[in-house]
Amino acid sequence: MIKILSGSEVSILDKHHIQGKGISSHQLMEKAAEGFVDWFLEKRFSSSKPIALFCGAGNNGGDGLAIARLLTKHGFQCVVFTCFADEGSLSEDCRINLELLPSTIRKFPWNEFDPEEFGLVIDAYLGVGIKGPLREEAKSIIDKINSFKGIKVSVDLPSGLSADYSGFDHCVHAEVTVTFAFPKLTLLLPEHAKVTGELVLVDIGISEEELEVFHSSYYYLLKKDIPAFHKKFHRFSHKGDFGKVLLIAGSRGKMGAAALSVKAAFRTGSGLVSCQVPLEERIIIQTSVPEAMCVFEDSIDWMSFDAIGVGPGIGLDQGELLEKLLREYDRPIVMDADALTLLSRNPSFLDLIPKESILTPHLGEFERLFGKCMTHLERLEKARRFCMNYKLNVLIKGANSVICLADGRQIFNSSGSHFMATAGMGDVLTGMLTSFLGQGYSSEQALVCGVYQHGLAGEMAGDMKGRGTLSSDVIEMIPETFKRLGVS
């Protein structure tokens, strides 16, 4: 996992890396530019029209000048628009890259940009170093960049966006942001989604160990992290080793939620899955998921299960059932959907929840539980205090879902697709998380593996189905996520 540092710590990190590797700051800048260009070439952008690069006077502008030079070598026609009054104001590495710029690359002041002449814009104006309100000229430059209606790619950060804080005045509206070493916190906040666009992380050779010396409770989860969190099974493992789990889900008219959760638990690897449902609705489960067993409230022994997930589609008249479960079951459970709404209506239940349990609210459910939040940073802080106080784990669902652990760490997920914004996705995740708990995973292991693989399955299903992606499509891709991750 990559630790997420503050914007003010970036220059310190760079200095430590430069000293440790025995390289120059210009060489590190060149590494960043090369990483950007490698990504750019993979995307196969058209070279039929020129590329405009807006370059500032600092290191962000230096990145842009190096990118222009390298793209020119690959046959792209680049035009640099300078966002500084004189060359004496340039940072040292920016000045070096300006001197290295081939004479074939035309340079113009920023206010001479004509958006009709270009096929793509690269924003390398302002980076992580901005502090305080923007100058009027800076606002004018950002407005000029935003006058381009095609694809705008921002280098490290959209110009005008703070690295650490929520909200902005003037900001470049990028379709893609290519950031270096680690994602800046601001790029992971949902209120900034419309200006950051797609997030691309480029490795510039800074190791996770170099980041670890800095203090931060924020982390970014990557594909390479997942295998180490998985338990190992062997050829003598039997269905009992893979867990006996229960999903308390479904009600009249909402049995689809139960079916999705149960099937997801099986696809995630559970050996035995039962579903506690109303007696009159049992046929739906027994026909849609014949591998599952149905149990009923008057005959249930909750402690006979290794893990329990509760909430999807149970209805809001099940407060007594939820209280009974919380009083009688002493292992971590997964709480989602209607269980969370019932919890918000019955705050006295909070003290009954078994330690290390997992709550999975979307933004609306989060605010019902914790109150209105003006920003995502406020939301994260409320979640942190809650988790540490109650020794519980909260998953704030959405793009870059955040795993908030009982020890105060908060882990942003990197997998997922906008095609997952459809009914039943939370039910699938509940089944996956419950399955991992039942297989003997810790709550942290279950969250890390479940959240990442849920998103990965969504990506894979989205690649195939696009806007028509269903939750059931995601379930069918769960086994493929294990294969893609090399987990047997």
Side-chain angles (χ1 to χ4, degrees):
M1 268 181 273
I2 299 176
K3 187 175 280 189
I4 299 172
L5 309 187
S6 67
S8 61
E9 292 172 318
V10 171
S11 61
I12 302 172
L13 173 66
D14 288 348
K15 288 177 183 176
H16 287 181
H17 180 73
I18 288 163
Q19 292 171 358
K21 296 296 182 181
I23 61 175
S24 69
S25 57
H26 181 259
Q27 286 174 306
L28 181 60
M29 183 175 286
E30 193 74 1
K31 181 76 172 177
E34 289 170 353
F36 180 99
V37 170
D38 287 344
W39 165 81
F40 194 92
L41 296 176
E42 286 178 6
K43 298 300 288 186
R44 298 185 180 276
F45 289 112
S46 173
S47 59
S48 61
K49 295 184 74 173
I51 298 171
L53 295 98
F54 283 78
C55 298
N59 285 346
N60 199 246
D63 290 334
L65 293 168
I67 289 166
R69 168 169 42 83
L70 295 173
L71 284 177
T72 300
K73 290 182 179 179
H74 289 281
F76 290 92
Q77 183 183 351
C78 296
V79 179
V80 168
F81 288 90
T82 55
C83 303
F84 45 84
D86 62 85
E87 295 181 12
S89 63
L90 304 185
S91 71
E92 178 62 19
D93 290 325
C94 186
R95 182 190 61 76
I96 292 172
N97 275 326
L98 184 62
E99 292 173 354
L100 290 173
L101 207 62
S103 59
T104 54
I105 296 179
R106 293 177 294 154
K107 301 190 297 293
F108 298 98
W110 65 267
N111 54 7
E112 294 186 21
F113 171 69
D114 180 356
E116 299 300 322
E117 296 180 5
F118 296 91
L120 185 141
V121 165
I122 295 175
D123 159 37
Y125 173 35
L126 300 174
V128 298
I130 63 169
K131 295 181 177 66
L134 293 174
R135 295 175 291 107
E136 289 305 313
E137 183 184 45
K139 294 179 182 179
S140 298
I141 293 172
I142 289 169
D143 288 342
K144 180 64 77 171
I145 296 171
N146 283 334
S147 70
F148 182 72
K149 302 307 178 186
I151 295 174
K152 296 180 288 294
V153 181
S154 286
V155 178
D156 213 21
L157 282 178
S159 291
L161 193 63
S162 165
D164 304 310
Y165 302 109
S166 178
F168 52 88
D169 180 10
H170 267 64
C171 182
V172 168
H173 288 228
E175 278 65 45
V176 185
T177 299
V178 179
T179 197
F180 304 120
F182 63 90
K184 293 17 174 215
L185 182 60
T186 192
L187 301 175
L188 301 171
L189 305 181
E191 55 263 39
H192 296 166
K194 65 181 180 181
V195 298
T196 59
E198 177 189 352
L199 177 60
V200 176
L201 179 62
V202 168
D203 180 9
I204 58 173
I206 295 176
S207 68
E208 292 180 23
E209 289 72 24
E210 291 175 89
L211 294 166
E212 278 300 317
V213 302
F214 294 87
H215 173 73
S216 174
S217 57
Y218 298 124
Y219 291 81
Y220 191 61
L221 185 64
L222 297 173
K223 177 182 177 181
K224 67 182 180 65
D225 299 320
I226 307 305
F229 282 88
H230 273 286
K231 286 188 66 178
K232 307 294 186 220
F233 294 95
H234 53 75
R235 65 191 181 93
F236 290 105
S237 297
H238 55 80
K239 63 184 178 182
D241 295 328
F242 288 93
K244 179 182 179 183
V245 305
L246 173 68
L247 277 308
I248 303 174
S251 59
R252 185 177 182 181
K254 297 180 180 179
M255 289 305 296
L260 290 168
S261 295
V262 169
K263 196 163 189 177
F266 271 122
R267 290 297 191 198
T268 305
S270 289
L272 293 163
V273 182
S274 298
C275 191
Q276 182 174 331
V277 296
L279 180 65
E280 65 275 13
E281 303 293 337
R282 67 191 184 280
I283 301 301
I284 295 174
I285 294 297
Q286 293 178 326
T287 55
S288 61
V289 194
E291 299 88 350
M293 292 182 289
C294 290
V295 296
F296 311 102
E297 187 176 352
D298 58 359
S299 61
I300 193 74
D301 176 13
W302 282 321
M303 289 305 298
S304 67
F305 294 95
D306 298 308
I308 294 177
V310 57
I314 63 172
L316 300 180
D317 58 350
Q318 295 298 318
E320 290 185 12
L321 169 67
L322 181 60
E323 182 178 12
K324 189 170 187 288
L325 170 68
L326 297 178
R327 290 187 182 280
E328 296 183 6
Y329 193 76
D330 62 4
R331 300 170 193 151
I333 63 174
V334 180
M335 299 181 68
D336 183 37
D338 291 341
L340 296 176
T341 301
L342 289 169
L343 186 61
S344 69
R345 295 180 179 183
N346 298 274
S348 62
F349 290 179
L350 281 173
D351 291 319
L352 304 177
I353 303 173
K355 303 307 179 190
E356 289 297 328
S357 290
I358 297 170
L359 282 61
T360 63
H362 56 56
L363 297 188
E365 290 163 342
F366 186 95
E367 294 203 339
R368 285 198 288 272
L369 280 167
F370 302 108
K372 290 286 184 182
C373 299
M374 296 299 294
T375 69
H376 202 52
L377 292 176
E378 180 185 353
R379 191 175 293 121
L380 292 172
E381 186 53 35
K382 284 187 177 182
R384 188 195 315 279
R385 291 197 300 267
F386 172 83
C387 291
M388 296 181 72
N389 184 35
Y390 285 95
K391 301 304 177 189
L392 299 173
N393 305 285
V394 171
L395 174 67
I396 306 176
K397 293 188 295 193
N400 298 117
S401 293
V402 189
I403 299 167
C404 304
L405 297 175
D407 62 9
R409 285 176 295 148
Q410 297 185 313
I411 304 169
F412 290 81
N413 184 38
S414 63
S415 67
S417 164
H418 62 286
F419 296 128
M420 297 176 72
T422 189
M425 289 295 176
D427 306 325
V428 173
L429 180 58
T430 296
M432 295 180 71
L433 294 173
T434 307
S435 175
F436 280 129
L437 283 181
Q439 293 176 54
Y441 286 56
S442 69
S443 296
E444 179 181 350
Q445 287 176 296
L447 276 162
V448 166
C449 297
V451 171
Y452 186 88
Q453 289 181 236
H454 180 252
L456 181 58
E459 290 177 17
M460 296 163 71
D463 288 343
M464 297 172 62
K465 304 291 187 179
R467 291 191 182 189
T469 301
L470 301 177
S471 298
S472 52
D473 298 325
V474 173
I475 292 173
E476 295 311 309
M477 297 309 299
I478 294 172
E480 292 297 317
T481 66
F482 288 94
K483 292 182 181 179
R484 186 168 289 192
L485 292 166
V487 176
S488 60

